[in-house]
Amino acid sequence: MADLAAVKAALSAQRIETPSWGYGNSGTRFRVFPQQGVPRDPFEKLADAAAVHAATGVAPLVSLHIPWDRVPDFGKLAAHAESLGVRIGAINSNTFQDEDYRIGSVCHPDPAVRRKATDHLLECVDVMDATGSRDLKLWFADGTNYPGQDDIVGRQDRLAEALSEVYARLGEHQRMVLEYKLFEPAFYTTDVPDWGTSYAHCLKLGPKAKVVVDTGHHAPGTNIEFIVAFLLREGKLGAFDFNSRFYADDDLMAGAADPFQLFRILHEVAKNGGLDPAHGVAFMLDQCHNIEAKIPAIIRSVMNVQEATAKALLVDLDALRAAQSAGDVLGANAVLMDAYNTDVRPLLAEVREEMGLSPDPLAAYRASGYADQILADRVGGTQAGWGA
Ligand code: LRH
Ligand code: MN
């Protein structure tokens, strides 16, 4: 039987990082539907993140994206975060929106473009120095659209060169976490398409380089929890970008499309020490709220991750191991399904109350009046978005 006190302690100690871009306008290539009350700058994005943390108690970190969140003084932004009770987390680079990056950035055939892209990554490390962030989060849109367009091995050489230059720049307590993605915006090759490619580059780079698993970046039918278990065993799982999808990189709310998959992932995380802060796994959301209210959507997503985590922590590991070693296929599966089929909402409500919070974060947010306040305050100016 799971130790309930230990389960509750782990749940109140959970830390989920929310994405600054999740608070801004976003959409698809067909339309971006702006919403009233959306932040106009990184300071207002931090305020929205603080509202999520106030309601949930487990979301004190906000990841930034450069240049979307570029400000003249990142120290001042970090101090503003502190004053709101949150902290700046991972710094995301962006080498996918500049005109020069049409056929690549760090993998581009032109050394001048590669230099520009690498300098941007180095600038992001400067930002980390100013914000006190641990992680440089790297995702490259780099790839090709047609066979023969460029040399696959040549592009890997260029990627490795840029990564090793940036790796050498990292401070003692800093890391780089390398995200992979099967396709889009490139549709023939993607230079970091899968966990194996990211893992291989991270192995070569060294202990400060780890893999990011974005749950929306796999081919349909991929067993993501296998990848998670493998990377945890190797000590190379750096971070998650949680979201969910029905088809491709839909970036829907975590746990919305496939709560059972999120549970299976968190089960591998929980049983392999991934929840232990010493393991250094960052749990981030990477989502876009194209049609739904953004702050409630992020609160709901944090709750979905909490529920999947609670169910994973309730797995009776002794019974599971006993059934597994006995080759009791149905017995072992039943142990996991018992945990998954457990309604953990009363347990989480209790944990929140013991943390001095409302048992229902969404009701707490509604009661805070924050939504009406930002509607009234945020008139005029330019709403934040991807600027794509
Ligand atoms: C790429 C990605 C990456 C971010 C972007 C916002 O699809 O998952 O993590 O840079 O979304
Ligand atoms: Mn991502």
Side-chain angles (χ1 to χ4, degrees), residues 132-182:
S133 298
R134 174 191 65 179
D135 289 350
L136 171 65
K137 179 152 160 280
L138 302 174
W139 171 70
F140 299 106
D142 290 45
T144 64
N145 275 2
Y146 298 99
Q149 175 186 329
D150 199 350
D151 185 79
I152 293 173
V153 170
R155 293 177 74 95
Q156 290 300 308
D157 294 342
R158 298 162 204 163
L159 172 65
E161 190 186 327
L163 291 175
S164 62
E165 181 179 342
V166 177
Y167 187 91
R169 164 71 182 82
L170 293 174
E172 199 185 341
H173 304 296
Q174 295 175 332
R175 309 185 312 174
M176 64 166 57
V177 287
L178 180 59
E179 186 174 357
Y180 58 87
K181 181 175 179 179
L182 183 66

Side-chain angles (χ1 to χ4, degrees), residues 21 65 96 137 139 179 181 214 217 241 249 286 386:
W21 56 97
H65 220 296
F96 52 87
K137 179 152 160 280
W139 171 70
E179 186 174 357
K181 181 175 179 179
D214 182 313
H217 286 187
D241 267 4
D249 191 17
D286 177 8
W386 279 40

Side-chain angles (χ1 to χ4, degrees), residues 51-297:
V52 170
H53 185 45
T56 63
V58 295
L61 285 161
V62 190
S63 34
L64 301 185
H65 220 296
I66 311 298
W68 300 337
D69 298 314
R70 183 176 281 137
V71 290
D73 181 342
F74 280 101
K76 193 159 152 258
L77 188 67
H80 182 67
E82 211 76 42
S83 71
L84 294 166
V86 294
R87 276 182 293 112
I88 294 175
I91 301 299
N92 288 259
S93 62
N94 181 333
T95 57
F96 52 87
Q97 285 187 314
D98 190 292
E99 200 51 35
D100 290 335
Y101 300 147
R102 180 172 58 83
I103 58 173
S105 65
V106 292
C107 302
H108 196 289
D110 178 344
V113 175
R114 299 202 295 273
R115 183 69 262 154
K116 175 179 178 175
T118 306
D119 288 346
H120 168 68
L121 305 183
L122 295 171
E123 179 214 352
C124 289
V125 183
D126 299 341
V127 172
M128 291 161 66
D129 291 344
T131 59
S133 298
R134 174 191 65 179
D135 289 350
L136 171 65
K137 179 152 160 280
L138 302 174
W139 171 70
F140 299 106
D142 290 45
T144 64
N145 275 2
Y146 298 99
Q149 175 186 329
D150 199 350
D151 185 79
I152 293 173
V153 170
R155 293 177 74 95
Q156 290 300 308
D157 294 342
R158 298 162 204 163
L159 172 65
E161 190 186 327
L163 291 175
S164 62
E165 181 179 342
V166 177
Y167 187 91
R169 164 71 182 82
L170 293 174
E172 199 185 341
H173 304 296
Q174 295 175 332
R175 309 185 312 174
M176 64 166 57
V177 287
L178 180 59
E179 186 174 357
Y180 58 87
K181 181 175 179 179
L182 183 66
F183 80 102
E184 189 208 38
F187 296 105
Y188 171 56
T189 67
T190 291
D191 294 300
V192 188
D194 54 27
W195 73 272
T197 307
S198 175
Y199 175 61
H201 279 285
C202 290
L203 268 183
K204 279 224 183 89
L205 288 160
K208 294 181 189 171
K210 304 221 178 187
V211 179
V212 178
V213 174
D214 182 313
T215 49
H217 286 187
H218 305 82
T222 300
N223 186 320
I224 300 176
E225 58 270 27
F226 172 87
I227 298 169
V228 169
F230 183 95
L231 292 171
L232 279 167
R233 181 172 174 274
E234 300 298 319
K236 274 297 187 188
L237 177 64
F240 283 102
D241 267 4
F242 285 129
N243 49 62
S244 69
R245 52 85 169 277
F246 290 104
Y247 303 103
D249 191 17
D250 307 352
D251 280 339
L252 299 172
M253 292 189 295
D258 190 344
F260 185 42
Q261 181 187 60
L262 186 59
F263 160 75
R264 299 194 313 266
I265 290 170
L266 268 296
H267 167 59
E268 290 304 330
V269 169
K271 72 187 276 298
N272 293 301
L275 289 174
D276 173 354
H279 219 121
V281 179
F283 298 90
M284 301 187 279
L285 299 177
D286 177 8
Q287 305 171 175
C288 297
H289 311 101
N290 301 343
I291 59 173
E292 69 271 32
K294 300 172 189 295
I295 296 171

